Amino acid sequence: SLPIELVHRILDNLDDLTILMSLRNVCSRLNLIIDTYHRYQTLTMLNIANLRWKSQELPRLYNLLLNNTILVTLDLAYNRIGDEDTWSLVNTLKNKKVLISLNLAKNDIGFKGAQYLADALHENTTLGAIVLEFNNIGSQGTEYLVHALNHNRSLNILNLRQNKISADGVKYLSQALQNNETLKTLVLDLNHIGEQGTQYLADGLENNKALTTIQLGYNAIGAEGTKLLSNAL
């Protein structure tokens, strides 16, 4: 029964995270009031990196994303979410039409977590950027993501820096690059590509018409790998 103006004054003294995580979805009346609050109406980016979330706290985040109508950028880097909590997270994203950028850097995500993300990408049509750097998806996790790239038509930035991806993983990526017409930026620094992986990559680039940026630092490509890339370009 509090006047809307008074509730807005209370919201003025709360941070964005408290509003989103503690006040949203408490009741329909409060949701209606928050919907008219000026800070909430312009809240399109949420940075909750490096907060070291506990498992029992994560359901509140999933509930927020499940009913999200405003957030387009979510930064969850350095939170050690792990594979199982990644499954819970991506289940809220499968059919979302709002979120565009998702940062999951350094979250202890392995090949199972990559599989869950791939499943979400099959159905999500808005995510344009995913950052997975400093995880451990390996070549098997890369294969799962590649299957998603064969169907997804929205993702244009994929960051896989330092994920223990070997030449086999690049072989899967190469196959996707030959068919994918959406991906613009691919980051593969600090993996284990080597000359063989560079050969696969070069094969994929020969027929790719979409990719505009690729990062390959610290991959032991060598002189022969450089020659292969040069010929493909």
Side-chain angles (χ1 to χ4, degrees), residues 98-158:
V98 182
L99 200 66
I100 294 174
S101 177
L102 177 63
N103 187 349
L104 291 172
K106 202 161 188 178
N107 266 297
D108 297 332
I109 296 174
F111 70 90
K112 291 296 293 183
Q115 183 180 13
Y116 301 143
L117 278 169
D119 290 342
L121 285 173
H122 272 284
E123 300 179 42
N124 185 283
T125 58
T126 58
L127 265 175
I130 293 182
V131 177
L132 280 171
E133 62 182 11
F134 308 123
N135 282 293
N136 188 27
I137 72 168
S139 293
Q140 186 174 352
T142 305
E143 182 180 9
Y144 291 129
L145 290 175
V146 163
H147 289 321
L149 287 176
N150 289 331
H151 299 276
N152 182 276
R153 292 295 177 265
S154 65
L155 195 70
N156 51 59
I157 298 175
L158 180 60

Side-chain angles (χ1 to χ4, degrees), residues 69-86:
T69 58
I70 57 167
L71 287 176
V72 297
T73 300
L74 178 62
D75 189 342
L76 276 168
Y78 295 83
N79 275 302
R80 297 177 180 173
I81 291 176
D83 284 341
E84 294 313 309
D85 282 317
T86 299

Side-chain angles (χ1 to χ4, degrees), residues 5 13 32 42 62 84 88 92 102 120 124 139 153 207 218:
E5 294 76 13
N13 291 277
L32 287 172
T42 58
Y62 307 146
E84 294 313 309
S88 301
T92 68
L102 177 63
N124 185 283
S139 293
R153 292 295 177 265
N207 297 304
Y218 297 94

Side-chain angles (χ1 to χ4, degrees), residues 26-71:
V26 171
C27 65
S28 57
R29 168 68 175 162
L30 194 51
N31 276 352
L32 287 172
I33 295 174
I34 293 174
D35 283 341
T36 65
Y37 182 54
H38 68 96
R39 276 173 54 207
Y40 179 78
Q41 291 176 334
T42 58
L43 184 59
T44 59
M45 181 176 71
L46 183 62
N47 185 340
I48 44 181
N50 205 29
L51 291 184
R52 297 294 192 270
W53 293 79
K54 296 178 181 178
S55 291
Q56 61 267 31
E57 297 172 324
L58 287 168
R60 286 191 297 151
L61 172 63
Y62 307 146
N63 186 51
L64 163 66
L65 293 175
L66 193 62
N67 297 282
N68 172 44
T69 58
I70 57 167
L71 287 176

